[in-house]
Amino acid sequence: MRKLGACAAVAVVSASLMVGVSGVASASAADCAHGANGFVDIPDDLEGTVVANSPGRSLTVEVGIVGGVKRGWARAHGSEAALGPGDSVWMDWSQDGGNTWLQCGPFGTSSYVWSLTSAAKATNPSPNWRFRGGAYFNGVMSLTPWY
């Protein structure tokens, strides 16, 4: 489990992290953990309100109050079987409606767990500010719709 980190006051990710012809700017877990780029660490068992899910997989985008701020995160969770070594979760975050995005993660596990979360990011009422969850389960990638 990751500890809840201090909230950073960063509202915009630097241009070097957002954009690219392919639409995605990859970031390591370090680029969005421990308060980097406005993300905060959350416990792997944190549950919020489900706002998007991946059909046929236990992958959700959830929102809730973390550190006094409404935030969104991706959560992979085992409903019938635990997540195991090699499974991972990440969250894509976009400021332009999903045309380009920052991939926050992946966050993986080396043991068997029932829940695994990405770092959390403050929500925003703008229709261009979007989140999507992603995960690998047994080597198969799943994505939620954009929220």
Side-chain angles (χ1 to χ4, degrees):
M1 168 175 24
R2 293 180 299 276
K3 292 182 181 176
L4 187 62
C7 177
V10 177
V12 178
V13 171
S14 69
S16 66
L17 289 177
M18 292 287 287
V19 312
V21 175
S22 66
V24 64
S26 291
S28 71
D31 290 322
C32 50
H34 310 297
N37 293 306
F39 287 87
V40 297
D41 297 343
I42 59 173
D44 282 330
D45 61 355
L46 183 65
E47 294 183 41
T49 301
V50 174
V51 294
N53 60 13
S54 176
R57 296 287 184 181
S58 296
L59 170 64
T60 54
V61 172
E62 301 182 12
V63 296
I65 303 299
V66 177
V69 176
K70 185 177 179 184
R71 298 182 187 276
W73 63 90
R75 181 172 165 250
H77 43 97
S79 56
E80 297 178 14
L83 303 166
D87 290 341
S88 62
V89 66
W90 65 89
M91 185 173 72
D92 296 332
W93 168 58
S94 177
Q95 292 179 296
D96 64 6
N99 292 315
T100 60
W101 61 89
L102 171 87
Q103 179 182 314
C104 175
F107 297 91
T109 181
S110 59
S111 61
Y112 289 93
V113 297
W114 286 103
S115 184
L116 188 62
T117 61
S118 70
K121 179 76 173 163
T123 62
N124 185 300
S126 168
N128 290 320
W129 194 280
R130 312 279 305 268
F131 298 112
R132 173 174 69 182
Y136 279 108
F137 298 105
N138 295 320
V140 177
M141 186 178 80
S142 293
L143 293 171
T144 69
W146 286 101
Y147 163 76

